[in-house]
Amino acid sequence: MTESKRKKQIQLSHGGGGKEMNKLIKELFFKAFDNPILTNEEDAARLVLKGPTAFTTDSFTVAPLFFAGGDIGKLAIAGTVNDLAMMAARPEYLSCSFIIEEGFELDKLKTIVNSMASEMKKSGAKIVCGDTKVVPKGCADGIFINTSGIGEILQDGISIKNIQAGDAIIVSRDIGRHGAAILMAREGLTLESDLTSDCATLWPIVDALISAQIPLHAMRDATRGGISAVLNEWAVGSNVEISINEVDLPVADEVKGLCELYGFEPLDLANEGTFVIALPQEYANKAVEIIKLHQGAHSGSESADSGFIGEQAAIIGTVGTERAGKVILKTPWGSSRYLDLPQGELLPRIC
Amino acid sequence: MLELKQLYQGFRDPETIANLAKQIAQQAAKVDGDIRIMEVCGGHTHTIMKYGLNQLLPGNIDFIHGPGCPVCIMPKERIDHAIAMANQDNVILVTLGDMIRVPGSKGTLAQCRANGRDIRPIYDPLDTIKIATENPDKTVVFFAIGFETSTPMTAVLIEQAEKLAISNLYFHINHVLVPPAIDAVMADPNVKVNAFIGPAHVSVIQGSEIYRPAVDNYGTPVVVSGFEPVDVMESILRITTQKAQNIAKLDNQYSRSVTPEGNLAAKAVIDKYLCIRPEFRWRGLGPIPNSALMLREEFSHRDAELHFASILPTEEIEDHKACQCGDILRGLCKPKDCKVFGRGCTPESPMGSCMVSSEGACNAYYRYNGINDEL
């Protein structure tokens, strides 16, 4: 291997605490995440917090690291920022830890870090502390990222226990895109499609809903486990029946087609920029309008890389009390069934 | 170029489904007694339960869920074979989807993988070529499963392995056949079935004519059916109409892809590499003669059952006594009749393989039918 080739890869020394690590942190991370709290280089970030605060953490491992509509970096910021947003908390400060496999290409790391920096601008959050570990080849799958975040809660009472009979259930856009895009990007699934992940920062939409004084009862981004998992957690958490009309669920044609081929359900597939809201029925139309307006405003410049398609927010169901703890899916032809939690790892059907 | 949405568009139209339900009710009213339809394939079971089609039908139409799920009918000793091979050093075991969740007598392939063994569920059997080429120092075993539908993929994989002279790839063949399973069901003196929905994907390969003996021998209508809600409802209407007219014939609802003779090219490649196995033991149905395939003798150098003969267990393993998968697969009882259904046996912790596969009758009932029981 030539010297120049070696220089382009992460070495164990990049995590060793010495000169190489210092260089990596200053020239890459500080440059991308630049802010005075971080570049102060203290042992811990000094923060000023006010009022009720939300705090969350998440680790990101994804294969492939780069997919249509995003990459692990965008995911690591959007994911944590969205967890805060779902508590109506304005994302303020994030931590960021990298576990990098020896030999990882430096250019790829740069792309990931720049993607993180660009995604943070959408919420205004800052990375104020971090950590870098390099592990020997074979001990990690390329790169793992952990982000934690804190933010000020702007509207209280949002909880999985606060869903009430008579509430409407809203989904912010078409479902299942991230799971489908990742499946399509995986080796071996050689399907041609323009499908992109929905990976996106949700804070601006949530901010708009809060500013419009919409009384939100519950919000959740439907990540792993998809819409099915969120609705089931809500039905149990608030001891209510949630009834969904299948015909009202927005699903992209490509996602439907992939599900047909492999025997998956769009409702079970992961999302990374789609959220579900429970709120009083009388505010449902206004909330949908705000989401559509917001997504519409962003659909121009971002459509190519984020898969944003405006005008898809929809009221998909209602909350009742009859079969408390259950989610009911109503078909367009008058039959109905329970919508259960997805089970086990997603494996394609055999025939 | 075919667009993905063409796969389902038009086959879930509420008005069409409502209209078919109405016609089925009209025809069923003319029939004395019950119409007990066996949907041989788990894919149809899944469609009926997932879309709640059974809720739209009159009381004298009953569904009996047949043995046509490749996961459900796999006897435990074959899973034990897979685990025994995967437990060998330097072996990569490759198989399709759900198979890794099916319990053998010593756990599942998923548990075996968690213990550090190299087990890879794949989407496309041809990926096995890449795995074998990239791991020349390992022995790669393709644990081949499925009915007539998935057999051509295995045959093409063998062909590629031969053509590319890939020496580290072996095959454990568990491909089974639908017509002998129908015979086994009908041979039971307690049989309740008096009509069949035939799996269309089997007939895409083997042609619709493979079901003619069932019509001739048992006097039952057989309608080869697609898997969309409109397909299944239309097939039920065709069966019900035959019953109303007191006739039994072979009918092909899925004429958009099925011909009487099937896909001759696919049949030729299967025939080149695989031949009829004298006997295969089916879970719940026991040994059925000529009901499965095996490698032809000239390709025995790729036969994992010979290569690993010294470590493969030979004992036949029965299911847990409380598990009634066997009766369910023969159509003698329904999933909810089983004492362990939803209690000791759930999708998270299945005792029987009918609870494992998304196409298994118990799994479909567990996931989708709860609400139906309350109606």
Side-chain angles (χ1 to χ4, degrees):
Chain A
M1 196 184 282
T2 64
E3 184 64 21
S4 62
K5 175 84 177 170
R6 247 197 316 273
K7 276 182 185 165
K8 288 180 186 164
Q9 292 181 319
I10 291 292
Q11 310 290 308
L12 280 174
S13 56
H14 282 113
K19 207 180 254 180
E20 293 90 339
M21 184 164 142
N22 206 21
K23 197 165 179 267
L24 183 74
I25 290 172
K26 295 254 171 76
E27 291 183 6
L28 180 58
F29 299 145
F30 279 14
K31 207 170 152 191
F33 304 150
D34 187 36
N35 67 72
I37 307 173
L38 179 70
T39 53
N40 254 352
E41 296 187 63
E42 300 292 353
D43 274 355
R46 182 179 177 277
L47 308 175
V48 180
L49 304 174
K50 53 178 181 181
T53 302
F55 176 36
T56 186
T57 188
D58 209 342
S59 297
F60 296 85
T61 67
V62 62
L65 296 171
F66 300 88
F67 49 85
D71 57 56
I72 188 171
K74 184 179 182 184
L75 209 56
I77 299 302
T80 290
V81 161
N82 289 348
D83 283 350
L84 294 172
M86 293 302 105
M87 291 295 285
R90 177 176 41 226
E92 291 179 284
Y93 304 114
L94 263 60
S95 74
C96 171
S97 288
F98 295 97
I99 295 175
I100 312 169
E101 186 184 18
E102 178 188 18
F104 191 73
E105 277 178 46
L106 194 59
D107 277 349
K108 283 187 182 170
L109 181 62
K110 279 181 187 165
T111 307
I112 289 167
V113 168
N114 288 332
S115 167
M116 295 172 81
S118 145
E119 197 59 25
M120 274 190 306
K121 286 190 185 128
K122 293 171 190 166
S123 66
K126 295 180 180 70
I127 288 182
V128 293
C129 58
D131 180 46
T132 307
K133 294 280 187 294
V134 179
V135 295
K137 185 108 188 144
C139 292
D141 189 9
I143 185 167
F144 300 149
I145 304 176
N146 171 274
T147 49
S148 299
I150 53 178
E152 184 192 355
I153 294 176
L154 301 186
Q155 191 187 115
D156 251 325
I158 293 173
S159 164
I160 62 162
K161 293 180 181 149
N162 193 29
I163 299 152
Q164 292 157 25
D167 277 1
I169 303 290
I170 290 174
V171 69
S172 67
R173 57 164 298 166
D174 64 316
I175 63 171
R177 277 181 163 263
H178 181 72
I182 291 292
L183 277 168
M184 283 200 178
R186 277 198 185 145
E187 226 174 347
L189 208 62
T190 47
L191 290 174
E192 279 184 31
S193 169
D194 296 330
L195 185 69
T196 50
S197 164
D198 60 333
C199 182
T201 289
L202 295 170
W203 172 247
I205 304 179
V206 174
D207 195 20
L209 291 168
I210 295 169
S211 302
Q213 295 185 317
I214 305 280
L216 304 160
H217 286 168
M219 285 193 289
R220 184 155 286 193
D221 52 340
T223 53
R224 269 180 309 168
I227 304 289
S228 305
V230 172
L231 296 177
N232 273 286
E233 283 163 20
W234 282 6
V236 173
S238 291
N239 200 31
V240 290
E241 171 189 301
I242 297 178
S243 179
I244 300 298
N245 292 314
E246 201 172 2
V247 74
D248 294 328
L249 282 170
V251 188
D253 283 338
E254 291 95 331
V255 175
K256 274 189 194 165
L258 182 99
C259 286
E260 287 310 309
L261 275 178
Y262 290 94
F264 298 142
E265 299 248 24
L267 286 151
D268 292 352
L269 291 180
N271 308 273
E272 287 295 344
T274 304
F275 68 116
V276 194
I277 310 170
L279 79 180
Q281 190 78 51
E282 61 266 34
Y283 291 91
N285 286 327
K286 193 177 174 193
V288 166
E289 221 171 89
I290 291 168
I291 299 169
K292 281 184 176 178
L293 197 70
H294 190 92
Q295 291 194 158
H298 283 76
S299 63
S301 61
E302 295 199 352
S303 60
D305 71 335
S306 73
F308 250 137
I309 300 172
E311 303 293 307
Q312 288 176 325
I315 302 169
I316 57 167
T318 53
V319 178
T321 50
E322 201 185 337
R323 298 180 183 91
K326 297 281 188 189
V327 183
I328 316 287
L329 192 71
K330 292 182 173 170
T331 71
W333 41 86
S335 63
S336 51
R337 64 170 163 103
Y338 288 136
L339 179 67
D340 206 359
L341 277 167
Q343 285 147 1
E345 61 184 301
L346 281 180
L347 294 166
R349 66 175 170 213
I350 286 162
C351 63
Chain B
M1 195 178 127
L2 177 79
E3 283 187 47
L4 285 176
K5 65 180 174 188
Q6 288 175 262
L7 291 171
Y8 58 86
Q9 224 169 33
F11 300 107
R12 294 179 193 174
D13 177 47
E15 212 175 302
T16 311
I17 290 172
N19 189 28
L20 285 165
K22 202 169 144 192
Q23 289 184 59
I24 290 167
Q26 284 166 357
Q27 292 298 323
K30 300 178 197 167
V31 180
D32 284 334
D34 289 342
I35 305 168
R36 291 182 298 268
I37 306 169
M38 172 168 274
E39 72 280 5
V40 178
C41 170
H44 284 134
T45 307
H46 189 76
T47 301
I48 291 163
M49 306 310 290
K50 178 179 172 185
Y51 298 107
L53 301 182
N54 49 345
Q55 297 168 29
L56 310 176
L57 299 175
N60 65 336
I61 295 184
D62 194 17
F63 290 106
I64 294 172
H65 308 282
C69 161
V71 168
C72 302
I73 59 86
M74 194 65 67
K76 282 189 172 171
E77 61 265 24
R78 303 295 286 186
I79 311 290
D80 286 358
H81 277 199
I83 290 171
M85 291 186 291
N87 274 332
Q88 297 301 301
D89 289 338
N90 295 315
V91 164
I92 302 173
L93 189 106
V94 181
T95 191
L96 295 176
D98 274 355
M99 207 64 220
I100 75 161
R101 285 203 293 251
V102 185
S105 71
K106 297 175 184 72
T108 65
L109 283 167
Q111 287 161 343
C112 189
R113 184 179 61 176
N115 289 334
R117 292 302 175 181
D118 198 346
I119 292 158
R120 305 190 190 180
I122 49 162
Y123 301 97
D124 178 354
L126 286 178
D127 289 349
T128 314
I129 294 285
K130 195 166 176 246
I131 294 170
T133 325
E134 285 174 356
N135 296 278
D137 52 337
K138 302 267 175 81
T139 300
V140 178
V141 182
F142 184 69
F143 189 70
I145 55 157
F147 280 87
E148 287 89 338
T149 325
S150 49
T151 314
M153 298 190 292
T154 301
V156 170
L157 179 60
I158 304 167
E159 186 166 69
Q160 288 297 309
E162 284 294 292
K163 205 179 271 180
L164 301 169
I166 296 170
S167 58
N168 60 331
L169 178 54
Y170 292 83
F171 292 82
H172 191 282
I173 304 287
N174 300 278
H175 285 296
V176 286
L177 305 168
V178 164
I182 290 180
D183 290 336
V185 166
M186 297 310 284
D188 193 307
N190 298 316
V191 67
K192 296 175 179 172
V193 180
N194 60 19
F196 286 99
I197 291 180
H201 52 5
V202 165
S203 285
V204 169
I205 307 299
Q206 293 292 341
S208 56
E209 281 299 311
I210 59 163
Y211 301 116
R212 187 163 299 281
V215 177
D216 294 344
N217 296 340
Y218 312 115
T220 54
V222 177
V223 178
V224 176
S225 173
F227 289 88
E228 288 296 325
V230 167
D231 290 325
V232 173
M233 290 295 279
E234 193 186 333
S235 299
I236 295 165
L237 174 60
R238 291 188 186 196
I239 285 173
T240 313
T241 307
Q242 285 194 43
K243 287 288 185 191
Q245 294 169 359
N246 206 20
I247 56 170
K249 61 178 187 177
L250 175 63
D251 192 5
N252 177 16
Q253 180 273 337
Y254 201 70
S255 54
R256 58 188 189 270
S257 293
V258 168
T259 60
E261 70 280 5
N263 182 331
L264 296 176
K267 283 160 83 167
V269 74
I270 293 168
D271 195 43
K272 184 171 176 189
Y273 296 101
L274 301 167
C275 60
I276 300 282
R277 192 184 282 264
E279 188 175 271
F280 190 84
R281 212 172 78 89
W282 291 50
R283 185 155 185 271
L285 297 174
I288 306 178
N290 305 321
S291 65
L293 300 175
M294 57 190 268
L295 276 165
R296 284 192 178 279
E297 204 178 349
E298 54 265 48
F299 302 103
S300 57
H301 56 283
R302 298 204 174 270
D303 194 337
E305 289 184 71
L306 297 175
H307 185 75
F308 290 97
S310 61
I311 56 126
L312 296 182
T314 51
E315 192 190 348
E316 292 178 352
I317 299 156
E318 295 303 327
D319 290 322
H320 191 284
K321 276 181 191 158
C323 169
Q324 284 180 268
C325 279
D327 287 343
I328 292 163
L329 291 169
R330 286 199 303 273
L332 300 179
C333 75
K334 298 245 174 181
K336 58 189 174 190
D337 299 328
C338 176
K339 282 182 191 130
V340 290
F341 175 77
R343 298 181 187 92
C345 182
T346 61
E348 300 93 75
S349 178
M351 279 171 72
S353 48
C354 296
M355 189 58 98
V356 176
S357 163
S358 62
E359 288 165 28
C362 296
N363 185 291
Y365 264 83
Y366 186 88
R367 287 176 72 186
Y368 302 130
N369 200 48
I371 204 163
N372 200 37
D373 292 342
E374 297 165 16
L375 291 173

